[in-house]
Each structure stands twice: as structure tokens, then as C-alpha cells.
Amino acid sequence: MEFNIALLKGDGIGPEIVDSAVAVLEKAAEKFGHKFNFTSYLIGGCAIDATGKPLPQETVDGCLASDSVLLGAVGGPKWDDQPGENRPEKALLGIREALGLYTNLRPAKLYPALRNASPLKDGIVGDGFDLMIVRELTGGIYFGDRGYRQGKYGEEAFDTEAYSVTEIERIGRVAFDSAMKRSKKLCSIDKANVLESSRLWRKTMHRLAEEYPQVEYSDMFVDNAAMQLVRNPRQFDVIVTSNMFGDILSDEASQITGSIGMLASASMGETTRGMYEPIHGSAPDIAGQNKANPIATILSGAMMLRYSFGLSDEADAIEKAVDNVLNAGYRTADLMGSSEGSPLTCTEMTQKISEAL
Ligand code: NAD
């Protein structure tokens, strides 16, 4: 089969890790007899430098014309002084909105081979955990009304959390459907003891739960969830939550798996075109040094094959290659303890995974 893939390499380590994922996707195409056509577009800081805007129209058009999108990461200190509307991170919100991507799937799995990299004690992680965070991506406070006004103490800034029943229902259905395909357990996380928008969220989720009687459904307040993730992550399977809570909790979930460099994500909407990206940022501290862990981006490529192209065997093969390389003891620097020998570079890790494939 033939597919057109838009590449948004972005800034910092973005180009290194996207090149790694492309190398592994090329290998998968060769092995399984497919053809992937890659076209690169600018996004983030590099787009500001070249065009003055973090998300040029050409990038949006290129992504809309492709079968799927693979993103590295955007941002860095060079662009930190840009005004709010022109910040590199604004491009992420813009491209998600332009592609209608309202669902973010973030698997967080502790690989048995990486147990030592998790900061949690053995007694807590047991023989590992495997959870899926379903985060709403185009609503809530990141998209609500914002601005400055005169308040009780003088000038103040405000942002608004707003959710409609429609938005809650559509992300809720994705989460219940994901739970049905996994262990039929779903926890919805909100702050319904304080926020009106959370009370509507909870009421809507409860109504949906009646349609999915096979799913063991529960609610949890976000502050408790932050605590429970480090106290007993194995109690969770699928988690559904709002844009901002999902942003924060998924980073927490990533860290307890050992390294943020391991975790992939998929952003989906109504069509099969998705956007796939590692959950980490552009890591300016290690950019250009060939030190980045490419696995999150390689696994994002595998998610693209599974969710957008329906190529499950190919996705399984990439995931198995990553497993085999980790089981053989190969590590990038972020996955190593101080006494474990010398780490692989980004390109060496990519090479090992391609060979394993
Ligand atoms: P970050 O995820 O870039 O880095 C946090 C830490 O994790 C750093 O020490 C970094 O070296 C390390 N790290 C991240 N990915 C790694 C990898 N693949 N291999 C090895 N180590 C890795 O987060 P940050 O430092 O808070 O943000 C840096 C920049 O990235 C900021 O401009 C931020 O706005 C941006 N950002 C972008 C995205 C995105 O593009 N989706 C997401 C988060 C942050």
C-alpha cells in the first residue's frame, strides 16, 4: 500500500528523532512491501525564523493533503520572548484545531526491561503497568476566552475553562470504546467538587456509562489522581480527562515509566488522518548532540501504522523490535543508571531497532 506522510520535524531534537522514525518506517515499508512518501513542512520556531509565523498556511495545507502527520517537537529558549499568539507552542494548538484532532491517546507502559529506570519502588510497580490516558485536545482552558482586565487587586489576567456536552460526549465515547477494547475499566478525572465545567463533565460521563454497562466506570478528583498515579498506578487502565488535566497527568504517568523519551501519542479526529508525536518537548539541553532517545517517536510511527493505516502487523513488528532491543540491554543515556556502561547515541539506537526489525 502507498501512503503520504507529512513530517513536521520542528525544533531542538525534533529533526533528529523524526529522522530516526522515518528510518524505521522505511525499513518497515521495505519488509512489508509498502511505499511511504514523506514531505517535510515547517512548524514552530524554525517556521518563525523562516516565515515569521509558527504555523504557515503551507504547513496546514500540506498536512490536510496528507494521509497522516508525524511531528517531532517545537519550541526552545530562542523563541521564549515571542508574544503569546506567535509562540512556537501556539502552532501545536493551531494544527490540532485545523486537523480537527480532539482526542489524544497516550499509552504509558512500564517495560519490564526498564523497571530500574522507574522512580517508583518495586513493591509499587510490581510486574509493570500499562495504562492509556485519553485526553481531550481541542477544548477547555487552552482554547477558552482569555485576556486582561481590572480586578479586585488591579490589572489581572484570566483564562476560561469551558466544555460543551458535545465535546464531553465525543471524548467520552472514545474513552469508553478504548476501555471496551482493553480491560473494560475506565476512570474519569475531573475537579467536580470545585468547577462547574467538571460537574457537567461528570454528569455527561455518568450518562454515557449507562450505555456501556460492561465497563467498570469510576470518577476521581484530579488532585487525588495525581497522588494515586504514584501510589498505585496499577489500579488504572483507561483514564479520560480534560485538556489541561490530561496535559499534566500524562507527563506524570510518563515519568513513572522511566523516561519521557519512551512515550508515544496519537491525536485523532473524525477521519483516519491523525497526528503522531512523542509526548516530550524539544529538549533544547541535548539538541544537536545525537543523545536523544528516538523510541517515543519510533513508537509514534508504529501508532500511525496501526490507527491511521490499519497496518497492525507492521505496528506490532516495530513494537517488538523496540522490545527486543531493550531486552538485549541497549539504552540511550536517559534510560541508564550511573553504573550501567556507555549509552547508545540516537543514531545507534535507531540502527539497532532497524536491524531488529
Ligand atoms: P522537554 O520534554 O523538552 O524536556 C524535559 C527533559 O527531558 C529535558 O531534560 C530533556 O533533555 C529530557 N528529554 C525530553 N525528551 C527526551 C528524549 N527524547 N531523549 C532524552 N531526553 C529527553 O520539556 P521542557 O524542557 O519543559 O521544554 C523544552 C521546550 O519544548 C519548551 O520550549 C517547551 O515549550 C517545548 N515543548 C514542546 C512540546 C511539543 O512540541 N509537543 C511538548 C512539551 C514542551
Side-chain angles (χ1 to χ4, degrees):
M1 296 170 80
E2 184 168 349
F3 295 98
N4 297 320
I5 300 173
L7 300 178
L8 308 181
K9 296 184 182 182
D11 309 313
I13 60 170
E16 304 163 47
I17 54 179
V18 170
D19 287 347
S20 293
V22 167
V24 173
L25 286 170
E26 297 270 34
K27 189 78 189 173
E30 181 193 317
K31 181 177 158 80
F32 289 90
H34 302 301
K35 187 162 189 289
F36 300 143
N37 307 310
F38 299 99
T39 313
S40 294
Y41 299 95
L42 294 173
I43 192 165
C46 60
I48 296 174
D49 289 350
T51 71
K53 291 186 198 144
L55 182 61
Q57 189 58 40
E58 192 195 342
T59 299
V60 175
D61 294 343
C63 292
L64 283 170
S66 71
D67 296 310
S68 219
V69 182
L70 184 65
L71 171 80
V74 300
K78 182 175 175 196
W79 304 281
D80 277 351
D81 295 333
Q82 291 283 331
E85 283 309 299
N86 217 42
R87 285 185 64 95
E89 294 78 5
K90 193 77 187 165
L92 293 179
L93 306 186
I95 191 73
R96 287 169 188 160
E97 205 173 16
L99 300 178
L101 307 174
Y102 58 81
T103 299
N104 189 217
L105 300 177
R106 293 185 165 200
K109 176 175 163 187
L110 178 64
Y111 286 79
L114 296 182
R115 245 173 82 161
N116 288 344
S118 170
L120 299 185
K121 290 182 190 150
D122 281 355
I124 294 176
V125 294
D127 53 5
F129 57 84
D130 179 359
L131 53 95
M132 172 75 85
I133 298 186
V134 179
R135 168 187 169 196
E136 201 289 326
L137 206 57
T138 51
I141 197 164
Y142 295 172
F143 289 90
D145 284 347
R146 69 193 58 201
Y148 287 81
R149 63 188 170 201
Q150 284 303 312
K152 194 171 157 195
Y153 301 105
E155 189 187 40
E156 64 181 23
F158 67 95
D159 301 274
T160 316
E161 172 88 349
Y163 269 112
S164 64
V165 172
T166 305
E167 289 169 302
I168 302 167
E169 259 180 17
R170 69 183 182 185
I171 192 71
R173 284 193 194 285
V174 173
F176 277 100
D177 290 341
S178 300
M180 286 298 288
K181 290 188 200 129
R182 291 172 51 108
S183 69
K184 301 194 171 61
K185 204 171 158 196
L186 174 65
C187 182
S188 169
I189 292 172
D190 61 36
K191 189 72 186 167
N193 49 343
V194 178
L195 301 177
E196 206 54 51
S197 52
S198 276
R199 283 193 273 276
L200 182 64
W201 180 282
R202 189 173 281 214
K203 196 168 125 192
T204 309
M205 288 292 170
H206 281 203
R207 210 178 54 239
L208 281 181
E210 288 171 15
E211 292 179 33
Y212 293 84
Q214 306 94 319
V215 174
E216 185 193 324
Y217 173 86
S218 59
D219 308 292
M220 196 177 279
F221 295 135
V222 63
D223 39 351
N224 186 24
M227 190 172 76
Q228 294 297 334
L229 268 174
V230 289
R231 204 185 71 88
N232 178 15
R234 286 151 57 83
Q235 71 185 283
F236 297 109
D237 187 56
V238 180
I239 285 173
V240 62
T241 191
S242 64
N243 203 344
M244 181 165 66
F245 295 161
D247 191 4
I248 298 166
L249 293 177
S250 58
D251 267 24
E252 185 187 2
S254 73
Q255 193 49 52
I256 59 174
T257 66
S259 170
I260 198 166
M262 292 294 299
L263 297 189
S265 80
S267 301
M268 312 291 299
E270 298 293 351
T271 70
T272 56
R273 187 195 313 106
M275 189 164 81
Y276 298 83
E277 57 183 301
I279 77 155
H280 58 72
S282 59
D285 51 335
I286 56 166
Q289 299 171 34
N290 201 14
K291 281 186 186 164
N293 180 353
I295 294 179
T297 319
I298 291 170
L299 292 175
S300 300
M303 287 184 91
M304 172 188 288
L305 300 189
R306 175 172 290 117
Y307 291 112
S308 282
F309 303 161
L311 302 177
S312 299
D313 290 346
E314 290 79 345
D316 286 347
I318 294 175
E319 287 164 3
K320 186 92 181 65
V322 169
D323 271 351
N324 288 344
V325 167
L326 292 174
N327 287 336
Y330 295 110
R331 304 280 187 270
T332 43
D334 55 304
L335 300 176
M336 296 188 77
S338 49
S339 59
E340 284 179 279
S342 57
L344 294 192
T345 62
C346 179
T347 42
E348 286 166 346
M349 179 56 96
T350 307
Q351 184 71 30
K352 288 284 174 213
I353 293 169
S354 295
E355 282 166 16
L357 185 61

